[in-house]
């Protein structure tokens, strides 16, 4: 009968020696630290090589009130770093704080160029006797404004600047067929509208249905009222189906010499079908 050896683990087998007794693990750790430090210094070296001083600054845009040289000086004054270290957000914010600048776009262009695109503020109306409004109704504080005196004046005791600029743009477009240029738009405390035009004719519109009233004026104007443009003082459009014309004093004074001269206030019915 064959004898079987004892089952279980063989405690007499020799264990494999540990490689250098833990020296290998220390070496790997040292190698990893060395690689990490080298990567840091390498990245810093590469960054410094790329972060060269800006050699070219390009400023673009269409300017009416700004000077390109002035903008270039503003940009140069804010340069505080190289191609990579330049703080573009800070530059953008500083430029947009200029009263004549509406929006700024800043970007880098390899290898050492900075491109700045500027959108100039465009005031389209005066706000009262001192301020200005752009096409969005934003209020502008413009120090150099002596060349803006010809802009129309908007005044309101009711509503926002955005409401006023929208109404101005709408009314100006509706008046185009009459050749009456809006020079002043007013809204009083109860929301009633009045318009002063370039020929000196005042339009009284009331609070409601402004579009319909001006369309009615256009119809009457083209029907022959335009021939009396030099004699008209004001036109009251608050009537539901017509309008009333008030004549200038000198036009009434000439009534005795001219049988065709207008007399007093005339109500013209122009029912729209």
């Amino acid at each position: 009968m064959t004898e079987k050896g004892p089952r279980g683990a063989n405690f007499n087998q020799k264990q494999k020696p540990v490689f250098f007794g833990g020296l290998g693990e220390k070496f790997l750790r040292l190698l990893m630290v060395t690689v990490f430090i080298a990567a840091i210094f390498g990245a810093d070296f590469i960054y410094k090589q790329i972060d060269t001083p800006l050699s070219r600054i390009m400023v673009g845009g269409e300017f009416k009130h700004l000077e390109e040289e002035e903008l270039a000086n503003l940009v140069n004054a804010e340069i505080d770093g190289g191609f990579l270290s330049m703080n573009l957000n800070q530059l953008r914010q500083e430029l947009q704080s200029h009263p004549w600048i509406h929006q700024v776009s800043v970007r880098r262009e390899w290898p050492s160029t900075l491109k700045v695109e500027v959108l100039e503020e465009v005031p389209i109306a005066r706000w009262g006797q001192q301020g200005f409004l752009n096409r969005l109704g934003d209020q502008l504080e413009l120090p150099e404004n002596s060349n803006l005196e010809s802009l129309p004046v908007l005044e309101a005791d009711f509503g926002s600047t955005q409401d006023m600029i929208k109404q101005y743009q709408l009314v100006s477009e509706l008046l185009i067929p009459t050749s009456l240029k809006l020079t002043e738009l007013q809204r009083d405390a109860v929301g009633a509208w009045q318009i002063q035009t370039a020929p000196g004719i005042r339009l009284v519109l009331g609070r409601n249905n402004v579009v319909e009233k001006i369309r009615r004026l256009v119809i009457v104007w083209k029907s022959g009222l335009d021939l009396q443009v030099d004699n008209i003082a004001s036109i009251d459009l608050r009537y539901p189906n017509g309008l009333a014309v008030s004549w200038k004093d000198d036009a009434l004074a000439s009534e005795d010499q001219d049988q065709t001269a207008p007399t007093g206030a005339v109500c013209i019915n122009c029912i729209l079908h």
Side-chain angles (χ1 to χ4, degrees):
M1 174 179 275
T2 303
E3 294 183 0
K4 296 181 180 181
R7 296 181 179 180
N10 187 355
F11 292 99
N12 295 323
Q13 292 180 353
K14 295 183 179 180
Q15 295 182 353
K16 295 182 179 179
V18 178
F19 179 70
F20 293 110
L23 182 61
E25 182 179 352
K26 293 181 180 180
F27 174 77
L28 289 176
R29 289 181 179 178
L30 179 61
L31 180 62
M32 291 176 62
V33 171
T34 303
V35 171
F36 179 73
I37 294 175
I40 292 177
F41 279 96
D44 182 65
F45 175 78
I46 295 174
Y47 180 87
K48 290 180 179 179
Q49 293 299 312
I50 298 177
D51 190 34
T52 57
L54 295 169
S55 62
R56 189 180 183 190
I57 299 175
M58 301 177 63
V59 179
E62 297 182 3
F63 310 126
K64 183 177 180 181
H65 304 281
L66 289 168
E67 296 291 339
E68 190 169 342
E69 183 179 355
E70 177 188 4
L71 287 175
N73 292 335
L74 287 174
V75 174
N76 286 325
E78 296 300 328
I79 297 299
D80 61 351
F83 182 75
L84 291 180
S85 59
M86 174 66 195
N87 190 328
L88 298 188
N89 288 331
Q90 181 178 344
L91 174 61
R92 187 182 300 108
Q93 292 174 4
E94 289 294 332
L95 291 178
Q96 288 190 178
S97 66
H98 191 283
W100 278 108
I101 295 179
H102 177 68
Q103 190 174 0
V104 179
S105 172
V106 184
R107 63 186 178 90
R108 303 178 180 93
E109 188 172 281
W110 181 263
S112 59
T113 299
L114 181 69
K115 284 192 172 183
V116 181
E117 290 291 331
V118 176
L119 181 62
E120 188 181 55
E121 281 288 8
V122 181
I124 65 173
R126 286 183 288 168
W127 181 239
Q129 299 301 319
Q130 296 181 345
F132 297 88
L133 300 178
N134 63 14
R135 61 182 180 83
L136 301 176
D138 299 329
Q139 296 190 49
L140 309 176
E141 295 182 3
L142 306 175
E144 300 295 333
N145 55 46
S146 58
N147 58 340
L148 303 176
E149 295 179 356
S150 61
L151 291 177
V153 178
L154 310 186
E155 295 182 337
D157 297 323
F158 179 86
S160 65
T161 56
Q162 287 74 24
D163 293 336
M164 289 297 295
I165 208 70
K166 288 179 181 178
Q167 190 76 329
Y168 160 70
Q169 293 170 329
L170 175 62
V171 170
S172 297
E173 184 176 354
L174 291 172
L175 287 174
I176 289 177
T178 67
S179 298
L180 296 174
K181 183 180 179 181
L182 187 154
T183 59
E184 187 174 341
L185 177 64
Q186 297 177 334
R187 193 180 193 188
D188 62 23
V190 297
W193 298 92
Q194 288 195 36
I195 297 172
Q196 187 70 33
T197 64
I201 300 175
R202 178 169 291 274
L203 307 179
V204 183
L205 297 167
R207 289 181 294 178
N208 304 315
N209 304 319
V210 172
V211 173
E212 290 78 1
K213 291 172 181 177
I214 295 181
R215 287 175 177 169
R216 183 190 311 151
L217 170 64
V218 171
I219 293 175
V220 178
W221 192 262
K222 290 183 175 180
S223 299
L225 188 59
D226 58 327
L227 301 176
Q228 299 290 341
V229 63
D230 294 332
N231 299 320
I232 300 173
S234 65
I235 302 175
D236 192 339
L237 294 155
R238 291 175 293 180
Y239 299 91
N241 296 315
L243 54 85
V245 179
S246 295
W247 308 104
K248 294 179 179 178
D249 293 338
D250 54 353
L252 295 176
S254 65
E255 182 178 359
D256 293 336
Q257 289 78 25
D258 187 353
Q259 296 295 327
T260 62
T263 303
V266 178
C267 183
I268 303 173
N269 288 322
C270 49
I271 302 176
L272 302 176
H273 299 285

